[in-house]
Amino acid sequence: MRRLRRCWSLRTTCDPSGVTRPALVLPTITANELLNKIESRDPFVLVDALAPMVYAHSHLPGAINLPPADIEPARIARRIPDPQSEIVVYCSSPDCDDSVATARRLQGLGYTNVRHYAGGKNEWRDAGLPLERAGKPFVPKP
C-alpha cells in the first residue's frame, strides 16, 4: 500500500522526499525549575528515557521509564492519556540522546507540551538532589 505525502508546492512536479518540514521545537527546563515542579507537586509527567536497568537502579522522584525503543502508540496512550499533559524527559547527561529521541517520538504521537531536562540524572545527582529507587528515597554512596 502506497502512502500519500502532502506536497508543499503547487508546481506540476513535486518530490515529497525533498520537502523541508519545520523542526519540532523541544523547550528545555533547568534543574531548579524541575525541582520546584516536583516539590510543589505540579501536575506533570516526568519521563526517564534510560534503559530499564539504569532506571531501576535510581531515577528522579516520580519518574516513569520510557526509553525510545518503548515508544509504542497504544502503550503511551494508556500511560499518558492526555496529549496536552506537560511532560519532562531526561536521561543521564547532555551527551545522552535517548531523552531527545523519546521526546521527539512523543511529539510525533501528538503530545504538545514536551520539555527536555538536558542536565539529566548526572547533573541532578551531582547537585545533591533527591533520587529514588523502587518508589523510595535513594542516596548514592560516594
Side-chain angles (χ1 to χ4, degrees):
M1 175 184 243
R2 258 182 97 189
R3 193 173 180 171
L4 296 177
R5 293 186 182 175
R6 182 177 179 178
C7 292
W8 301 100
S9 170
L10 296 177
R11 297 176 193 213
T12 55
T13 55
C14 181
D15 177 9
S17 64
V19 172
T20 303
R21 295 195 175 106
L24 296 172
V25 176
L26 189 55
T28 59
I29 186 170
T30 67
N32 285 335
E33 291 171 321
L34 182 54
L35 179 61
N36 288 338
K37 290 183 88 42
I38 292 170
E39 288 179 341
S40 65
R41 300 185 190 273
D42 284 357
F44 76 105
V45 180
L46 183 57
V47 173
D48 183 314
L50 294 165
M53 291 301 293
V54 179
Y55 168 83
H57 178 270
S58 65
H59 49 271
L60 277 62
I64 63 172
N65 188 220
L66 290 175
D70 288 353
I71 304 298
E72 185 267 312
R75 180 174 185 237
I76 299 304
R78 284 191 304 274
R79 295 193 79 184
I80 310 172
D82 182 0
Q84 295 176 352
S85 298
E86 181 178 5
I87 302 170
V88 176
V89 183
Y90 74 91
C91 59
S92 62
S93 71
D95 297 327
C96 177
D97 292 331
D98 288 349
S99 56
V100 173
T102 291
R104 297 274 186 239
R105 289 183 179 163
L106 288 169
Q107 287 178 322
L109 291 175
Y111 290 89
T112 58
N113 193 6
V114 181
R115 296 173 76 186
H116 181 228
Y117 171 47
K121 187 164 61 169
N122 293 349
E123 177 184 80
W124 189 267
R125 180 195 61 233
D126 293 347
L129 297 172
L131 293 169
E132 66 182 28
R133 177 190 288 175
K136 296 180 181 169
F138 172 73
V139 178
K141 295 181 182 177

